Amino acid sequence: MSLNVSKCCTGTSGTSSSGGGRPGHRKSSLALALTPEDEPMDVYTRNLMDLKYPTVLPPNPQLKALLVFHKSDSICEVVTLACQRHQLDVTLVKSKEEALDTLQKSYATAQCYHLIIIDARSTKGLDAEHIARTIRHTHGHHLTTIIAVCKKSFFEKDDALIALLDAGVNRCIAETTNLAMCSVELKQILHSIIRPHNVMSTQQALYTALHRLKEVVLITDDLLRIQYANRATERLLNMRLDEIISKPLADIFVSDLSTISEQGKSIKEFDGILTVRRKNQEGIPMHVRVVPVACIGSAPTHLIFNFDIPGGGMDFIATLPQPKEAPRGSLHSVRRCSFDVRSIASDGLRRTSLAKLTSLPLEAPITKIINLLSQVQENCSADEARLIDKVLEFLKREGLYSPQMKEIRTDDPIATDLIGALLTGPSVYSSRRSSNDSIIRTGNSTRTAIVPAKMKANPIVMELLEESLSWDFDIFKLEEITDYHPLLYLGMEMFRRFDVFATLNIDENVCKAWLAVIEAHYHKSNTYHNSTHAADVMQATGAFITQLTNREMVMDRMDEATALIAAAAHDVDHPGRSSAFLSNSNNPLAILYNDLTVLENHHAAITFKLTLGDDKINIFKNLDKETYKSARSTIIDMILATEMTRHFEHLAKFVSVFGSEVEPRELVQSEEETSILMRRMLIKVADVSNPARPMQYCIEWARRIAEEYFMQTDEEKQRHLPIVMPMFDRATCSIPKSQIGFIEYIIQDMMHAWDSFIDMPQLITCMQINYSQWKKYDEQGVNTLADIMAKQPPVGNKPSNSK
């Protein structure tokens, strides 16, 4: 939103003296930055403009400064004296750990440091860049002013200064032993940075108040383009925010607005009757007051519209006639603070995707019922439609979905092995192509996590990670150049890109240690289910989150963080054997979990066991109780969603909710329920996205999973156990046939549904190219791993069908 409330509503910044409420401080000519308690009533006055357009007083607390100096030398002493001269409350610490501990304690007591000065003269004593970045990622310090004290020679090295500024430092100042010079520099910082930050901090209070007002408030720029609309405006206009913001004011008024425009130029108010155009309805005459506001200069930059609501509240809006059909339009304007996933199912998406979604080969009885009810709803009254809505929402609850494939060719061994077993549940010893086939081997629970000393030392790694959100990202090259630590490097990059450190209110080193421990508990001996697979799933998750953001379907920060964490840990401690093998071998885990969702439960349980068992890697330790509980629940649910016996259930419900012609309204299907569906599908697609990757990577993943399944079959033969997947016998298996069946029966429908939802056509393009290639190999009789790999270029070269 372009309206700068900090300027138009709170007056000028830097209008008070440098301290807050101290005896003997100098009075400013404008007392707007002072509270009534600071000034006697006969002194605290405002001019007529201030009374006509009242301001919100910014915070004016006692300013606190935190000094982070490795040693108490003459420079430190001068900086301390300068702060004290301006009557700042000074705290001095000598290490990064002590600084962060001090900040954590201050936040716990609802205090804050307004100014943090870091000694950046030498990296031997303190790593100022790392300290600044960590402070910026610490909850509650996004507006804290950070100053770096540098050597004079640093100002000849722009790369060093730019690195500090990129890390979150507001200003770099040269070291000096001259108290007067240091004091003047500090005074400039107080007025040019700290005071404006105090003024800016009032914005949230103003916007919260405006948003929750019962009165309709709308703000335009000087060209009458709408810049802000509160919740009451949405209700009045029967439109969503994204249908209102940036639109010309004439789009919502029937009346001629030329009078307002002319009067606005002469800074006059308007008070009269205008006819409001509600969406899909006739206009409604309303009393409107318009106030021009000059935020910069003397000419009006914004106009504030206030609508008089008869009866003074929302009851009038509730009584306005509603259109027979639910309002159709673009996506909700979704804020970072609240992810309304129901908005994702709007008609703008459904119009383009419904044909694909309804053509999926899913024919559960519940799906038929929903389709029939949707058809009836098209030709019924508004009251009947609302009743059918309630029925539909109840039908979309968990437990009603047991879909059957429309057709299974029983003579197809792929369908028999992969599909039949998945639909019949745990009683059939089946395989899974996703990541839930795992078994815990005894004696491997303790591993030493190895963290590379300098993660930024290799420029090749950093260059590769710049493409970490691209769908053709080369995970195998990352595996090679990081010496089989892809999850650690990619994980830190993803955490940085999605601001996970600040979201969890945790230090970067804790996240680094956590990723190292999680990666250490992936088995390097597995050809497929190792940390490279985990990193690949995490990379796909990041790409999907980015695409959701591009589509204005924004997950909040905690949703993003938990999705990335779940992806990184979803297969932790996977030893490369299927759950069927686990049950057949009477493994203790199968007994512990009653043969039900054994390995997903284990993956989730060991994730939290490892995380909570060591404070040095506990990435959740700074979350409050309720936030942690919610994050834990989300992570567990996402990990359990990778269990393939419920694949078609998850897919059927996702299609029914997000592919239905019925708007998921605020009846039974809650925001949290629809968010869960979206998150489950996100990680499921990321987990089995190999056939939708560029061809070279798809073939390498196929090689790895086939080799892992071959090893299981070999062991089953040696131990005289039931053969879970007879077709995965290295002597007879056709790799192309296995991939063709997997794409046809598992991947194809899910990718079409996900593409319709997220609008990521490269998924379908890559899948179709790969499918065609597997068909060619099958027709040519190229069946074995050796024959297939002989036709491939070395892994690590860019694939020909990259974006």
Side-chain angles (χ1 to χ4, degrees), residues 483-504:
D483 192 23
Y484 295 90
H485 289 97
L487 184 60
L488 176 59
Y489 283 85
L490 183 85
M492 287 299 289
E493 177 69 10
M494 287 293 166
F495 282 178
R496 181 189 67 79
R497 285 179 180 265
F498 293 99
D499 208 17
V500 173
F501 310 118
T503 301
L504 299 179

Side-chain angles (χ1 to χ4, degrees), residues 540-680:
T541 299
F544 292 156
I545 293 173
T546 302
Q547 183 63 13
L548 284 169
T549 303
N550 294 339
R551 295 271 292 162
E552 299 182 4
M553 299 183 282
V554 186
M555 298 173 71
D556 67 26
R557 290 298 191 189
M558 188 57 70
D559 274 337
E560 292 176 352
T562 51
L564 292 169
I565 291 167
H570 81 283
D571 266 341
V572 64
D573 212 16
H574 190 308
R577 296 294 182 267
S578 71
S579 52
F581 181 100
L582 187 70
S583 297
N584 290 343
S585 58
N586 293 319
N587 188 276
L589 281 180
I591 298 173
L592 176 65
Y593 292 111
N594 302 313
D595 292 328
L596 298 174
T597 322
V598 174
L599 292 162
E600 286 66 39
N601 276 314
H602 174 65
H603 298 323
I606 199 169
T607 296
F608 284 93
K609 181 179 180 180
L610 293 170
T611 304
L612 304 180
D614 185 350
D615 191 66
K616 294 179 181 178
I617 69 167
N618 186 358
I619 56 178
F620 307 116
K621 61 184 177 182
N622 291 331
L623 299 180
D624 61 74
K625 185 176 180 181
E626 288 303 315
T627 304
Y628 165 70
K629 182 179 179 181
S630 175
R632 170 175 159 81
S633 175
T634 297
I635 293 167
I636 291 173
D637 185 79
M638 291 187 72
I639 292 176
L640 295 183
T642 62
E643 197 263 332
M644 284 295 289
T645 61
R646 296 182 64 192
H647 168 78
F648 292 109
E649 177 183 339
H650 291 319
L651 179 57
K653 187 158 190 192
F654 181 84
V655 170
S656 296
V657 171
F658 294 111
S660 171
E661 291 186 340
V662 181
E663 185 84 22
R665 300 171 189 163
E666 299 179 8
L667 296 171
V668 179
Q669 196 75 21
S670 69
E671 176 182 331
E672 179 57 26
E673 286 175 322
T674 46
S675 297
I676 289 171
L677 288 178
M678 187 278 299
R679 290 193 297 260
R680 288 174 181 171

Side-chain angles (χ1 to χ4, degrees), residues 164-386:
L164 286 169
L165 296 172
D166 287 342
V169 171
N170 295 92
R171 182 178 295 181
C172 298
I173 62 175
E175 62 177 346
T176 179
T177 55
N178 187 317
L179 178 59
M181 185 179 297
C182 185
S183 181
V184 170
E185 186 76 45
L186 182 59
K187 187 71 172 179
Q188 293 181 65
I189 292 169
L190 289 170
H191 281 292
S192 64
I193 303 178
I194 296 178
R195 291 304 177 196
H197 281 179
N198 281 352
V199 174
M200 289 169 61
S201 66
T202 64
Q203 292 188 21
Q204 189 59 51
L206 292 172
Y207 286 130
T208 301
L210 285 174
H211 191 63
R212 297 192 176 186
L213 276 179
K214 291 185 177 181
E215 289 77 14
V216 174
V217 177
L218 185 148
I219 302 175
T220 74
D221 60 14
D222 57 328
L223 298 178
L224 298 185
R225 294 172 301 198
I226 300 172
Q227 305 296 299
Y228 172 82
N230 67 350
R231 184 184 298 169
T233 306
E234 291 183 87
R235 294 286 304 279
L236 173 65
L237 300 179
N238 197 30
M239 299 168 70
R240 303 188 183 102
L241 277 180
D242 65 316
E243 298 177 278
I244 302 173
I245 302 301
S246 299
K247 297 296 178 64
L249 190 67
D251 285 2
I252 69 166
F253 282 109
V254 178
S255 306
D256 182 13
L257 301 178
S258 58
T259 305
I260 295 177
S261 179
E262 291 174 2
Q263 291 191 6
K265 292 178 181 178
S266 58
I267 318 181
K268 293 182 180 179
E269 297 185 7
F270 173 85
D271 192 329
I273 302 297
L274 294 175
T275 301
V276 181
R277 179 187 289 116
R278 301 193 79 219
K279 187 176 181 181
N280 299 329
Q281 296 176 53
E282 297 179 358
I284 301 175
M286 299 195 70
H287 183 216
V288 180
R289 294 188 302 276
V290 184
V291 179
V293 176
C295 295
I296 301 175
S298 58
T301 57
H302 294 81
L303 289 89
I304 301 176
F305 288 71
N306 182 249
F307 298 69
D308 277 349
I309 301 296
M314 301 294 283
D315 290 340
F316 167 75
I317 296 177
T319 62
L320 290 175
Q322 300 294 322
K324 184 172 182 180
E325 288 188 292
R328 307 262 185 194
S330 57
L331 302 172
H332 283 287
S333 176
V334 184
R335 301 165 188 79
R336 280 273 177 191
C337 58
S338 62
F339 177 24
D340 183 3
V341 78
R342 286 168 297 180
S343 65
I344 306 174
S346 64
D347 287 335
L349 170 63
R350 288 197 300 272
R351 289 194 191 103
T352 59
S353 63
L354 189 59
K356 290 181 181 178
L357 295 171
T358 55
S359 65
L360 296 182
L362 297 168
E363 223 171 30
I366 192 68
T367 307
K368 292 182 177 179
I369 292 172
I370 289 176
N371 289 337
L372 290 172
L373 288 173
S374 298
Q375 294 174 20
V376 172
Q377 194 178 38
E378 292 178 358
N379 302 305
C380 64
S381 67
D383 290 339
E384 291 169 340
R386 282 193 289 270

Side-chain angles (χ1 to χ4, degrees), residues 433 688-693 698 739 742-743 747 763 766-767 770:
R433 174 61 174 80
V688 293
S689 62
N690 308 335
R693 291 286 193 176
C698 168
Q739 289 297 313
F742 183 57
I743 293 173
I747 294 301
L763 297 175
C766 289
M767 180 184 68
N770 295 331

